[in-house]
Amino acid sequence: MPEQVVFWKWITPKLLGLVTQTSVYHWSIEGDSEPTKMFDRTANLANNQIINYRCDPAEKWLVLIGIAPGAPERPQLVKGNMQLFSVDQQRSQALEAHAASFATFKVVGNENPSTLICFASKTTNAGQITSKLHVIELGAQPGKPGFSKKQADLFFPPDFQDDFPVAMQVSQKYGLIYVVTKLGLLFVYDLETAAAVYRNRISPDPIFLTAESSSTGGFYAINRRGQVLHATVNDATVVPFVSGQLNNLELAVNLAKRANLPGAENLVVQRFQELFAQTKYKEAAELAAESPQGLLRTPETVAKFQSVPVQAGQTPPLLQYFGTLLTRGKLNAFESLELSRLVVNQNKKNLLENWLAEDKLECSEELGDLVKTVDNDLALKIYIKARATPKVVAAFAERREFDKILIYSKQVGYTPDYLFLLQTILRTDPQGAVNFALMMSQMEGGCPVDYNTITDLFLQRNMIREATAFLLDVLKPNLPEHAFLQTKVLEINLVTYPNVADAILANGMFSHYDRPRIAQLCEKAGLYLRALQHYSELPDIKRVIVNTHAIEPQALVEFFGTLSREWALECMKDLLLVNLRGNLQIVVQAAKEYSEQLGVDACIKLFEQFKSYEGLYFFLGSYLSSSEDPDIHFKYIEAAARTGQIKEVERVTRESNFYDAEKTKNFLMEAKLPDARPLINVCDRFGFVPDLTHYLYTNNMLRYIEGYVQKVNPGNAPLVVGQLLDDECPEDFIKGLILSVRSLLPVEPLVDECEKRNRLRLLTQFLEHLVSEGSQDVHVHNALGKIIIDSNNNPEHFLTTNPFYDSHVVGKYCEKRDPTLAVVAYRRGQCDDELINVTNKNSLFKLQARYVVERMDGDLWDKVLQPENEYRRQLIDQVVSTALPESKSPEQVSAAVKAFMTADLPHELIELLEKIVLQNSAFSGNFNLQNLLILTAIKADPSRVMDYVNRLDNFDGPAVGEVAVEAQLYEEAFAIFKKFNLNVQAVNVLLDNIQSIERAEEFAFRVEEDAVWSQVAKAQLREGLVSEAIESFIRADDATHFLDVIRAAEEANVYNDLVKYLLMVRQKAREPKVDGELIFAYAKIDRLSDIEEFILMPNVANLQNVGDRLYDEELYEAAKIIYAFISNWAKLAVTLVKLKQFQGAVDAARKANSAKTWKEVCFACVDAEEFRLAQICGLNIIVQVDDLEEVSEYYQNRGCFNELIALMESGLGLERAHMGIFTELGVLYARYRSEKLMEHIKLFSTRLNIPKLIRACDEQQHWKELTYLYIQYDEFDNAATTIMNHSPDAWDHLQFKDVCVKVANVELYYKAVHFYLQEHPDLINDMLNVLALRLDHTRVVDIMRKAGQLHLVKPYMVAVQSNNVSAVNEALNELYVEEEDYERLRESVDMHDNFDQIGLAQKLEKHELLEMRRIAAYIYKKAGRWKQSIALSKKDNMYKDCMETCSQSGDRELSEDLLVYFIEQGKKECFASCLFICYDLIRPDVALELAWMNNMVDFAFPYLLQFIREYTSKVDDLVKDKIESQNEERAKEKEEKDLVAQQNMYAQLLPLALPAPPMPGMGGPPPPLGVMGMPPMGPGPMPAFGMPPMGSY
């Protein structure tokens, strides 16, 4: 997308709307989609600020909203523009609007909802402002009723004429439109009618963003302060508000119906009754169906529709009612029941199924009972939905779906009678009973029926298998508490089905049953193995175990593994005693299996005890492979031999490595087995071949000897031959035996055996035969050589021509017989050590010297030339005199010389070399030998070196010269280098070794070579002769060491010579270093004109670095030239500062325009008191926020306060002036010019960093300004604290009131109360009234009470007394008592009852004023203390009060006592008045008796007349009620007959999807309850107390 995005918004949870300058795009977050262009912006949105973008729910309509500056005649009224786009039609429409929103609305008669757009606009035309809200349908559906366009005025208050809508939200929940303006006004309109509902300001700060709150039906808004606001409708009051204050009854009803809101009950009922009276049954049905909170959906409404007579040819109203309900949604329980009753009567079950599937009916138990008569499955569904649990369980039981009973009961938390259910199932389905029992056992919380009880139920019906199946499943956890049941299941199966019991025991699922009991039963049932597994006593086990015929052998063997070692061995003995042959295999198998537990030795003893070699053989055979015990292996061999297992004996003796060979050999020899192979195996493997040979020879088993030698082990034939020779066997047999083996026979041991017995000649024929066959075996030829040497049959020929013998062996054999033959043999085999030893021993040095020279072996030379060799001198003499002169091989000479050198024999070597080199031998001109002679002389005899150098010419001069230098023979080395014209090396010797610069200079002048001069120059440079070195470098024309020359020249400060050298170097190399150093040298010698001339010429100097170096070296004039040339204005400015040229520095800084440069120049100007120039610099610095504080501190540290303030004041007018400048100036004012501080704060409060300025004001104690800053920063708590702590400077009553209402810390309210009480008590009531809504009035009263100033806050307490706070009431009452203001006190007691009533009454009853005492009686009466109130009134002769108290108390005894009191006091009028006032309480007989006895019948006569009239009226009413009751019964009978006829008619007219009428007798609301009290006797109002006025007779 190439365009820049100017606005974006999430229009759906997965779709992002992007608005650019020209187009609108949609970008889906799903997949890898790219932004998709939707439409281009219209012209009316050009240069507009986009504030919103929305789409309808179907994403078919899009709207883009922007704002632009207003018309010229009213620019402050922002203009709104809107673009509406249709996705289907791909068309746009431009409109004037500030806010818009989409909505959906369902029009009556159209099943599809209509899409609406609502938009608000505020326009001006000819000076007239028009504000409108429009609601229009988009994409009207053809042929369907549409939404008619609506519009309404937006009424803006006079103070909000420039305000305009910024957002609009539509509440689908309430069907309301919320229009929000920028200044925080909220307009609420009805969506359907566009009628105004509400207007108020919800935010004092501008609102710029809103979002829908669909869950609450309201919206969220964010204002400029960052507050998040939430606004929605008050469900409880909106309908009364619309119907009451707006007087819009129709809208109130529609709103209540639409959102199901309370408050319109009376209106809906009234409207329903009107429609019903007008016979508009269809409209009445719709109203009842849509009534809010189901107000009219009652049995009374159904009865009302039932009571309407059916007109012929018309749909019954009841059917219209049910049809309307079904189209609107779901029926309630009563309606569902009535409708279903009609359907069941018509047998239209499919209607019920459809309604239930569509969730149109509310299920109930009664509905299920009704449907069960026609369909059990459908009834079950209804029972489940209605949660009629007992009915559901009964239904599942009838359907034999017992598993579902448990599942359902668990889901609903119901507990059925499981035992009864199980018994029921057992009668018909045993397997189902098992499954049901298992399901019960798996219930959470445990099985509801005891397992034993369930088992007994099965067993009572002889259901062994079922009982077993149940117990096996429930006993799987194998718990200790189930031991009895485990025993039980095993007992019943051992008695009836032993194979089942055996399988149970085989699974090992039980471990807690009665094992002894089960063991006995197993033995009786013939399950001997199970009996063995359960018996725990040895006698029982031994008794059972002998029944091997009935026990599987492998199982019996496994049983042995469970016994202890002692018991197992005892059982084995018993088995062998009972039947050795029959039980041997079992015992052997057990012994094999558990040999580790039983012990191998014990098992062996057991078999040996019964002399059972067969058992021993079988037992040890299995153990043999894993045992390394020699005794076991021997016993096995012995057992195998005794049982005739010869092959096994032969195998073990051949393969085993653990038997005792000696013991086995002796046993086999004693056993004299017919087959000698086992003995051959033992003797062959363990080296008893001579014994074997002797045994076989003496027992005439020669065939086995031949077989052993030829087939078994020919390698042991020499031992056999040796033993046969010892046994004096005939030679012919031995020779035949040897020849039969031939090449397989090992020759060396055979020769040794024969040689030891001096019978070597016996082998002559054998050896010659091998040689003739081409044998190259060294031992064959060694033996043959020994025979030839002994026979002296031309041994030299054999020793020199035979290539196969071993020189060591044969030479050793010859040493004592003939040393010369030994030398021949050793020379042939290069046996150096042996040859040296034999020649030294026999003084054969000439042979030794020739051998050593010919060998050319360095190691051999080292050995013979060792100083420890006592024969070295004789050998050297023979080498020098005989061996080397005879040699013509240079290699032999070289090896000898090298050996002499290695042996460190220089003198002997020199002697040798002089003889070879200087005496005109064949090697006189040899290059290497000449080198060697000189080098040896250098090492051994330096005095001869110069002579050798002069006499010899063919040597390596450079190498020899270097060696001479290393040997510190410097003159010889100089002569060598000079002889070979190596002038550089020669001069280096003079300089480095002889260390004579003078001789070196002379030598350099003599040879005139650049390289030589270069070496001389470097030496001079090292010695510090810088000028001489520079001249030598110039002579050498050497520019390679310019770095060293530069460094040395700088150290020696010889810049004039350096300039010459660098000019020479520049001719050879273009190096930045060279050019830079040349400029620096010019500067050091003050040749500034040369610098200017040089930099104008081509050069490669790094001028920046040169300039920096000049600056660092304080060569400012030169640096200025460089910086000016390279236009480095920053460094030029600093350099000019160093030169005190401030104006030029400012100009350079202006060109550099760098904050760092400005600061350096500015600070320099400040230090130089050039404040005008400093201000110019400072204005360029302070616009950078980061540098402002540094500049300020620099000025302040130098006391330039006025100049700094002037700088900051000048900075206020800068275009780039920022908050830091305003804030820093404020801080400066606070520190140095406090009189300007408040004015500055007020002028620039929005551009200040208030927290920083707050700290400054706090430090400087400017409390008034600090308070103002706190208020501006919304720190009202700190503002209030500051005012109270520093009231002389900061307090202002109006300001403090405004601050106090905004503080967040509640404690500050009470601190303010204390503050005003101490400092401004005359204004405390004004302050308290402002804080009244936020104060704890009890705490305020306590504060004032402790201060003794309650009277001071009396106006406040009167104002807040409406809250009925106890402390306030009591405080005011105290003041009223103190002031004797009984009227106010009576009013207070009447209206506010939250105080200590009894305490006040006790205080007042002793007051001297009568009215106060009357108030006390009144309080007692309100508190229910009737007797105290009456007594107090009697005391003050307040008889009227007494009578009223009695009447209100309802106490008959008090009233009658008061009558007696009046009689006693003779108050006849009071007696008559009391009868009138207490008419309901006084019994007629008591009144007449008292009047008659005290002659007051006349005064009681009015009471008597009223009493007679009342009872006469009651009798008349009873008679009337009786007549009416009889009439109602007759009417009810007639109505029932009419209903039956009407039902028959309904059955004929009922449509497929309408409900039924209710049951008879369900109609009509109950009569209203009467009001307690005496009924009126005639017309006229009821007086306050007593009897009503009597009627006329």
Side-chain angles (χ1 to χ4, degrees), residues 613-634:
Y613 288 104
E614 185 179 357
L616 195 61
Y617 168 72
F618 287 119
F619 168 67
L620 293 178
S622 64
Y623 186 67
L624 193 68
S625 60
S626 60
S627 173
E628 298 181 1
D629 188 351
D631 191 44
I632 290 176
H633 284 256
F634 174 74

Side-chain angles (χ1 to χ4, degrees), residues 856-874:
M856 295 184 292
D857 184 80
D859 294 337
L860 181 58
W861 274 110
D862 292 342
K863 183 174 182 180
V864 297
L865 293 179
Q866 286 181 354
E868 294 83 5
N869 185 7
E870 57 181 327
Y871 305 107
R872 184 175 72 168
R873 186 69 255 179
Q874 292 90 325

Side-chain angles (χ1 to χ4, degrees), residues 1374-1433:
E1374 288 178 14
L1375 292 178
Y1376 291 149
V1377 172
E1378 183 180 348
E1379 296 170 357
E1380 295 184 351
D1381 189 348
Y1382 60 86
E1383 292 180 353
R1384 291 289 184 87
L1385 179 60
R1386 179 64 176 262
E1387 181 182 355
S1388 175
V1389 170
D1390 269 341
M1391 298 180 63
H1392 311 290
D1393 58 353
N1394 187 12
F1395 63 93
D1396 183 6
Q1397 298 183 1
I1398 303 304
L1400 180 60
Q1402 291 174 346
K1403 181 178 179 181
L1404 292 177
E1405 66 180 345
K1406 299 176 183 178
H1407 202 280
E1408 59 185 6
L1409 289 182
L1410 172 63
E1411 289 298 329
M1412 290 295 183
R1413 294 197 298 275
R1414 287 191 67 192
I1415 293 173
Y1418 177 69
I1419 294 172
Y1420 279 134
K1421 179 175 68 174
K1422 289 186 63 176
R1425 297 195 177 188
W1426 314 105
K1427 291 184 179 180
Q1428 289 176 270
S1429 176
I1430 293 170
L1432 188 57
S1433 298

